[in-house]
């Protein structure tokens, strides 16, 4: 942090700033200029709050220098993190997220029935999807909306994995459920509404399974990285970041998919970045162009909603692709992936 | 919901819409016009999603009519909800939130020490505060920031209540902690970041204690009312709504305090409305004018950060009033409360 | 500006930064620390762009210190600016905006007819309004909406002033019209959509009439002050700032009225601050509470839409008060103004 | 528009709604149901405001059905609009925007000197750019920032066209300058800050030259289409839409580039869509990935800032590509264009 003193700051005021810095266990470095004095902080400044310094008499401004995330930062690791999803019974091979291959996760918004999962899963696998998504516990704005099949839904997902062979990604909503999810799920998703549910993040930091954190509706990318930091700091290094659209005033789309998140996060962090175009735009006909754009921008993966009969879906039908549209999109994705020097995983 | 069919919609398309409506257990009401057909839904439409109808062939648009919240709606109750906080040992009288008296809750951002709480609490009580606020579990963007004293903090708060006599309001962050909070706390707060932590809301719906829900950083007021609906629907009728600022692009303030939330929520709902000007603006010198404005706009209460030495606060010092500034603000508040036909509780 | 060099910045890199600073005609001040070097800029830094420095090799960060506005800043003038609106024929006395009295401007969204202006104006004057608002040139999102009566509307406004005696405030939309407005209008308004129409601002800087600038839909308060700076810098010192709501995701209100703009602008600037609750909320029943709140927050004036028959208004009827509601609001305003040590002008 | 009456609406209230509809010269169509009555409007509803109906007694809600833009809508024209930029002296061939070829416009943020334009223009042309961008009149937040070379800048641009052969695109800021721009400029740009400068749009509607309208910082895509409608309705059919990022709370990027604007605008309108990744992200290293993504999403063109020495640029250096980076980007663009079945123009 850099603290700029006012032009006529008194020596006692400068001393008070130094004292406060040292109270944090940090070292103050005083730069004396002709008309102004500037004070720099040395050491681990993560606990020093610029706002606290701006309140001191004689201080003109206090500005953070450097980044608040460490373990999530690109500098922390010499190389990019690649998350390995182990091979599943019925699955031919393991899977890597964050490598050269772009991983496509697909499936219904909510798990609705065992049969649907099995037949849809088989079609998706054949079309190139490498993981099955599907909500068992559903975060719904209204208590009167379908809340998901719960544990039963998790079991259907797991059964699909045994039979069809696609590893599963699904959302956890309650810190009390983390242990159960660790048993059933290959990649545990933190939904946008829980991005800053710090109790949940801490619990996931100890679960031993890969975690994918979705950006909150109005969270900055720095905050997303800080939420990743919670999981990393608690001991779990398998974290994936997911852009899924932010809330703006625009009405044609459900959210505004911020694709610049992809190159920003790849520059700032070593963690893999996945994009969810379905929630990002909210209308099935916009999903494919945004999926292509996400891959062109450098995404390591996509998570896409597909439903055999979108008009009959219990939730989010309007943003779900039909299986046929999904297949068409996959063909386009492969071409764009190649154009940017990658391939589909 | 009203569904508008396209001009040349086929009879079979109209029939398909009717069928889908009936599949929800609702009744379709078809209005046939010269050039267009309009279909209305009758019955409990809370489970019917307009997006699902917009996908059907021949449908031009589908629009919700009416409000998705019931128990939180003003029509649901003949009168305004008044939350009673029972008298505490050492406290002279009980307290009502939502009545004519404007309730001021004040205290430090975080509980820092037993001594500070006791002396500050006594000063605040004398200055007119009726409840003590203070975080024991702190939601912090960074895992490296002070996370609160935890259970120890709750105990200090309770001790203050016994000795000084101010009932306490503090934030719960984890569904696993709800039971413990129910023992210690008079008013359990759901923070902005947990407004849509539905697992937590459901748990609070069964806790038997009053709950104050803060609006999320980018949540609409309708969503705030739906979060209240979760608690109400689970059986807990003691819910307070709190406006604490939304996230915008403005930089002079930490958030943008949306005071129009006060008259909107009072019009839409029977629940009491509290305003948090401290988080809303993030700078102590803006707190008093916004507190006065909140009361002028009709707020039933305020929750304000006060710290004996803001520059030494472990968190959010920059937005904390000194005890002296708090006292001055209280004098102003009383005048404005009277000007709008109310008083300080 | 403060430029922080990277830890292992080379001497040549430091020299390049110094050189660039001097190329702007500024003086570089180098603070050498143990591990880092910090460089401060002295002189008029308004033309030096931090982004340009962040691009230089060896630079870690560059941060502006101080404010980009000068003439609009509170420090620039020893005292608050009070705008005098001269007495008009038929008007009993002159008017001051920015003094102790809170000035209420009221009238229809659009000028519709001569008769309506005269009868409404008389009622408003009797109820305590001190200026008449009314759009002659209307900024409408659609080219198919009513675009205003144009010059004819200006003439009706001026006729009202002669007969009823209320000075007029109305919006200019085109730099080609500034001269004409200077003849007819007492206070020329720049609408939100033109806040950064710099050609218009420059023209107004030379018009000799008071100018009220409305904050743009997504502009920061700093940008509002910079737009004022355009007018001030071009030689016109009579500038009023107006908060009228910003665009957010909230749907109950047309915009989100940011009342914290009032204390922020009063702290940062010497210019008077007016609030427009009608556009800020967009629904007549929310106007009065927000008007009271604006005065409690310290506003110097209000601009409010009133229409004799809102349901028949050609534009914005839904946010217009009836004359009776306006009168009721004025009674409330007087009480709140007194509660905060002011009065109605 | 559809108007839903309350359940127990009186016949007189229904009649009043009908009357108001007929006062607009429209036809009311009354659908009577068992418990509710719904009224539809037939005819040109562009002048009927739902808000005006919501105010009438007995009305529950009023909802627009259909789109407010006509000439800009995809239905209005059987085919996509292709804008022809005529061949220039020194240029080998004409240019089409909106056809299969993706048009790249490139150049410095501001015109700085004749020499720079000539040498940079030659390099850009060789690298595949088809138009030269460069600001002669610059919209700057601060009156103290460089305001552009003005007419002199336009002359340099035109000289480049004669010598190098690239047609030019540059921003007009003042309705008084439209005539002059029509002489010098091949494609006249309306900047984001002037998107709703309706006087300027009307003037451009009569200028006879192609116009490119940039989306405002917080404008919806519907509003962008309505601004296009102003130009189209005034008689100019040569309009291009440009997405350049919207303002959000995110701090890593200058704006949030909303690439979903591309498929939305292509679905809603027949007009060509161009993307400006430079202003959209504000940092040169993010420009190339977002340019690739824009083409993958279906953009008809790109407008990109390039500067021979970004660190010395008079404005926006931080977001400018060097010529070498531009050339590299063009190679990537060609591959992505082919992957989505297009080519570079």
């Amino acid at each position: 942090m850099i603290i700029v003193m006012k032009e006529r700051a008194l020596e006692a005021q400068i001393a008070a700033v130094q004292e406060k810095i040292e109270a944090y266990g940090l070292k103050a470095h005083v730069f004396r200029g002709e008309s102004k004095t500037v004070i720099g902080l040395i050491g681990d400044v993560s606990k020093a709050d610029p706002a606290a310094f701006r309140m001191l008499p004689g201080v003109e401004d206090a500005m953070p220098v450097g980044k608040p995330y460490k373990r999530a930062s690109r500098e922390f690791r010499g190389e990019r993190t690649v998350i390995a999803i182990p091979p599943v019974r019925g699955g031919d091979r393991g899977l890597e997220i964050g490598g050269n291959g772009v991983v496509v996760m697909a499936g219904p918004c909510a798990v609705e029935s065992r049969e649907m999962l099995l037949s849809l899963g088989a079609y998706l696998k054949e079309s190139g999807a490498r993981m099955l998504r599907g909500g068992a516990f559903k975060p719904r704005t209204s208590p009167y909306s379908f809340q998901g099949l719960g544990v039963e839904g998790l079991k259907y997902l797991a059964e699909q994995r045994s039979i069809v062979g696609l590893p599963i990604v699904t959302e956890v909503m309650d810190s009390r459920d983390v242990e159960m999810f660790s048993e059933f799920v290959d990649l545990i998703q933190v939904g946008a509404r829980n991005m800053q549910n710090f109790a949940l993040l801490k619990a996931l930091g100890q679960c031993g399974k890969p975690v994918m954190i979705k950006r909150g509706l109005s969270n900055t990318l720095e905050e997303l990285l800080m939420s990743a930091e919670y999981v990393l700091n608690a001991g779990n290094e398998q974290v994936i970041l997911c852009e899924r659209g932010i809330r703006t005033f625009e009405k044609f789309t459900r959210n505004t998919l911020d694709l610049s998140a992809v190159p920003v996060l790849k520059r700032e962090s070593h963690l893999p970045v996945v994009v969810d175009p379905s929630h990002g735009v909210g209308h099935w006909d916009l999903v494919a162009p945004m999926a292509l754009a996400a891959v062109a921008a450098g995404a390591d993966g996509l998570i896409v909603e597909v439903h055999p009969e979108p008009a009959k879906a219990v939730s989010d039908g309007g943003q779900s692709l039909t299986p046929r549209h999904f297949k068409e999109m996959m063909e386009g994705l492969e071409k764009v992936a190649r154009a940017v020097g990658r391939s589909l995983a």
Side-chain angles (χ1 to χ4, degrees), chain A:
Chain A
M1 195 181 344
I2 295 287
I3 296 159
V4 182
M5 301 301 294
K6 286 184 183 159
E7 249 184 54
R8 269 163 253 117
L10 306 173
E11 278 307 309
Q13 293 171 336
I14 295 171
V17 170
Q18 279 185 276
E19 213 173 293
K20 188 173 172 71
I21 290 169
E22 283 154 15
Y24 280 110
L26 301 171
K27 205 177 153 194
H29 197 107
V30 181
F31 305 85
R32 284 173 194 280
E34 273 171 49
S35 58
K36 286 196 181 184
T37 296
V38 168
I39 305 173
L41 269 65
I42 296 166
D44 176 357
V45 302
S46 62
K47 277 159 192 142
D49 180 9
F53 285 93
R54 276 185 216 115
M55 304 179 61
L56 293 179
V59 171
E60 180 165 335
D61 207 349
M63 296 157 291
V65 176
K67 301 167 180 177
Y69 39 91
K70 296 177 193 172
R71 294 173 191 279
S73 77
R74 196 159 167 197
E75 293 75 24
F76 188 77
R77 271 191 119 228
E79 50 188 9
R80 296 208 167 275
T81 285
V82 176
I83 309 279
I85 306 289
V88 295
R89 207 173 9 150
D92 36 357
R93 46 182 175 154
L95 182 61
E96 283 184 349
I97 305 173
N100 185 68
V102 176
V103 173
V104 178
M105 314 169 186
C109 179
V111 175
E112 296 176 19
S113 78
R114 185 183 170 280
E115 290 64 36
M116 192 261 258
L117 270 196
L118 294 183
S119 65
L120 181 62
Y123 183 94
L124 295 173
K125 192 183 173 197
E126 202 191 288
S127 308
R130 297 300 312 275
M131 294 190 80
L132 188 83
R133 61 146 292 150
F137 294 83
K138 299 296 304 168
R140 303 300 299 266
T141 303
S142 167
Y144 309 122
S145 298
F146 175 59
Q147 307 276 315
L149 294 181
V151 184
E152 200 189 340
L154 288 187
K155 285 180 185 161
Y156 293 161
L157 284 165
E159 218 176 323
Q160 176 280 145
R161 180 175 47 201
S162 305
I163 297 172
V164 178
L166 288 177
I168 56 183
V169 48
T170 193
E171 177 173 352
V172 68
M173 289 174 61
D174 193 337
S175 53
R176 292 171 294 192
D177 294 339
V178 168
E179 214 176 304
M180 179 178 62
F181 269 68
S182 305
E183 267 181 60
F184 281 102
V185 176
D186 300 288
L187 173 58
I188 306 178
Q189 177 182 311
V190 176
R193 285 162 189 77
N194 280 313
M195 191 198 96
Q196 293 193 316
N197 179 340
F198 301 116
L200 182 61
L201 294 173
K202 285 178 182 173
L204 289 166
Q206 297 170 338
C207 78
K209 278 289 174 88
V211 173
M212 179 163 75
I213 308 176
K214 287 192 155 184
R215 182 185 188 180
L217 276 76
S218 74
N219 286 108
T220 62
L221 294 171
E222 186 175 300
E223 288 168 340
L224 173 58
L225 289 165
M226 292 311 289
S227 288
E229 195 83 11
Y230 262 95
V231 179
L232 295 166
N233 191 47
N236 187 345
E237 297 193 352
Q238 303 182 75
V239 178
I240 296 170
L241 307 170
C242 181
E243 162 65 29
R244 49 77 74 201
I246 54 174
R247 184 164 274 185
T248 70
F249 47 80
E250 175 54 38
K251 289 172 190 164
F252 269 122
T253 46
R254 183 170 172 180
N255 293 292
T256 295
L257 188 68
D258 176 10
L259 285 184
S260 59
V262 178
V264 167
L265 292 173
K266 302 286 283 186
R267 181 186 72 194
E268 295 295 314
S269 177
H270 54 85
L271 299 170
V273 179
V274 165
V275 170
D276 176 350
S278 305
H279 286 87
V281 293
H283 299 280
W284 73 268
D285 61 314
L286 307 173
V287 169
M290 296 311 280
L292 299 183
V295 171
D300 297 308
L302 294 169
I303 180 162
V304 180
E305 285 187 12
V306 184
H307 194 283
E309 291 183 275
K312 293 192 178 160
V314 297
S315 71
D316 283 350
Q319 69 193 32
S320 293
L321 297 178
T322 61
R324 186 173 58 82
H325 284 136
F326 176 73
K327 200 172 186 174
E328 282 169 22
M329 182 190 79
M330 291 297 282
E331 289 161 18
L333 280 179
E334 191 158 16
K335 289 179 197 159
V336 173
R338 275 187 202 155
V340 295
R342 300 181 77 162
S343 60
L344 294 190

